[in-house]
Amino acid sequence: PEQCAVFHCRGCWTVLGDSLQLCGQEPPGLSVLICFKVTSDVIWEDSLLIGLEGALLGCAYCLLTCRSCGLAVGFILYSSGSDLAYLRGLFCFFKDSIICYLLKNQIIIEASKMNFPAVTLKE
């Protein structure tokens, strides 16, 4: 309850999800919020992209975009190495594309500056 937040698109402030849907820890090299559910304002195409560098090198994923403004807000991992396997099929929001509204304090903060409580997925 202390850190309940609503996730908004940085581009247009559309609501994309909330912290009650967080379901995993941020992997090394990726600055993402991992959620198992998002709003209908998050859209993705069936076409897959392939990561050419960084933490997603060699991974296949679908890009998530904001329905309202078209900003790329994250990805759904389709195929990866074993180190990122736990992310497959989950919604991963880029922290740089998300603004958080903290319900208790009624303040707005960048997702990249937030530290949410640890959440662990069971295998």
Side-chain angles (χ1 to χ4, degrees):
E2 289 292 317
Q3 299 223 0
C4 285
V6 177
F7 305 144
H8 294 265
C9 171
R10 176 183 287 285
C12 67
W13 292 86
T14 296
V15 174
L16 304 176
D18 61 57
S19 61
L20 296 177
Q21 309 308 320
L22 289 174
C23 64
Q25 288 306 110
E26 185 176 332
L30 282 174
S31 183
V32 294
L33 296 173
I34 304 161
C35 299
F36 66 87
K37 192 174 179 182
V38 296
T39 71
S40 61
D41 287 312
V42 177
I43 57 173
W44 60 93
E45 294 183 18
D46 290 332
S47 60
L48 293 175
L49 301 172
I50 304 296
L52 299 177
E53 60 186 20
L56 293 179
L57 177 66
C59 297
Y61 59 93
C62 296
L63 193 64
L64 299 176
T65 58
C66 173
R67 181 184 304 275
S68 297
C69 71
L71 180 69
V73 294
F75 62 91
I76 300 173
L77 197 58
Y78 179 78
S79 173
S80 70
S82 60
D83 58 332
L84 297 178
Y86 71 100
L87 293 180
R88 292 181 197 153
L90 298 173
F91 300 94
C92 298
F93 286 131
F94 300 131
K95 284 186 171 182
D96 290 344
S97 299
I98 304 297
I99 298 289
C100 298
Y101 175 75
L102 301 180
L103 298 175
K104 182 176 181 182
N105 303 53
Q106 298 179 346
I107 60 170
I108 297 164
I109 189 167
E110 293 185 31
S112 59
K113 295 183 178 165
M114 286 294 303
N115 289 316
F116 289 102
V119 180
T120 305
L121 283 174
K122 298 200 189 248
E123 294 189 17

